[in-house]
Amino acid sequence: MTQTYPTAEKAAELLERVRVRRPRVHCLMNTVVQKFTADGITVIGAIPSMTSSPDEIADFVSKADVLTVNLGTLDAERRNVIERAVEIANDAGKPWILDPVHCDYSPSRLAFARTLIARRPSVVRGNKAEMALIGKTGDILGIETGAADQLTDGTRSVTVRNGHRWMAEVTGTGCLSGGVIAAFLTVEPDALAAATAALAATGVAAEQAAEFARGPGSFGVAFLDTLSALTPEALRKAARIDHDH
């Protein structure tokens, strides 16, 4: 059977579909990056919500199209809210994404991340150290972010080579990218295609932002500007997507 791989053309198509649909993305996001992530989700064309209130989580996840779970700034109450949110998303058949932030720092956080992965998120996204501990995710899409983003669903492997080094110097660019991946999951059932398109979009926007920025501070602002202005045609031309046959 011939495998289908994501392309720059597909990425451009999905960007356009996100902006037409304007999906609702509920984020259980670490408190350090909530505004930056919400801004990124908004400028890509989606609608973010960020509450982690135990009294409200059921209502917000029920109204959302997709859920993104980030394990930064984790505490006992947030763990309970995450478990409830994942249960609601799974019961409704909604996609959700897990970012196991700093699971390489804390054994209890790593154990919690593995418990959540057993509940089958659509995507697990982390840096090299985090994903090394998480290990292979089988047929769940695993993403290792870095200078080049590496994605695999256990059968197909893709590398996205867009981005800029200043992304690593602005807190929250990875979390923002996770929110954008979540938005793309609402318009594309193939998680590999959705995540590839999202990472290409944020990577191309970062490259464009670096042309105007003087350093990490101005880069963060320029990144939101270029992500907002990114056109499907520009993404089609600039996306650098490699795959293994």
Side-chain angles (χ1 to χ4, degrees), residues 26 28 46 91 95 119 131 136 160 169 171 184 194 206 209 232 237 239:
H26 190 72
L28 289 172
D91 286 348
R119 299 174 74 172
M131 295 306 288
K136 293 183 179 180
V160 178
E169 298 180 33
T171 301
F184 276 63
K237 289 180 178 178

Side-chain angles (χ1 to χ4, degrees), residues 2 17-18 21 40 43 55 63 71 86 91 104 127 156 164 172 184 199 210-211 236:
T2 303
R17 283 162 58 182
V18 166
R21 179 173 179 181
V43 299
D55 295 334
K63 290 178 172 63
L71 299 189
V86 167
D91 286 348
D104 54 323
N127 62 29
R156 299 168 296 167
H164 191 272
F184 276 63
L199 291 171
E211 297 176 10
R236 184 182 297 111

Side-chain angles (χ1 to χ4, degrees), residues 131-146:
M131 295 306 288
L133 281 178
I134 292 297
K136 293 183 179 180
T137 53
D139 61 346
I140 298 170
L141 179 64
I143 303 174
E144 181 183 305
T145 56

Side-chain angles (χ1 to χ4, degrees), residues 33-121:
V33 300
Q34 285 183 341
K35 183 181 185 303
F36 190 53
T37 301
D39 286 345
I41 291 169
T42 300
V43 299
I44 204 68
I47 302 169
S49 54
M50 313 296 287
T51 186
S52 59
S53 165
D55 295 334
E56 296 181 318
I57 193 63
D59 293 325
F60 273 80
V61 176
S62 295
K63 290 178 172 63
D65 298 299
V66 62
L67 171 69
T68 179
V69 174
N70 179 297
L71 299 189
T73 56
L74 193 61
D75 56 33
E77 181 176 279
R78 188 173 288 261
R79 284 174 184 254
N80 291 335
V81 168
I82 287 171
E83 289 178 335
R84 179 65 177 135
V86 167
E87 179 183 19
I88 294 165
N90 277 345
D91 286 348
K94 296 179 181 184
W96 62 283
I97 176 172
L98 173 65
D99 189 342
V101 176
H102 290 329
C103 68
D104 54 323
Y105 285 28
S106 163
S108 65
R109 187 174 298 205
L110 176 60
F112 185 51
R114 287 174 170 160
T115 297
L116 292 174
I117 291 169
R119 299 174 74 172
R120 300 197 57 79

Side-chain angles (χ1 to χ4, degrees), residues 28 217 222 224 241:
L28 289 172
L224 292 175
I241 300 168

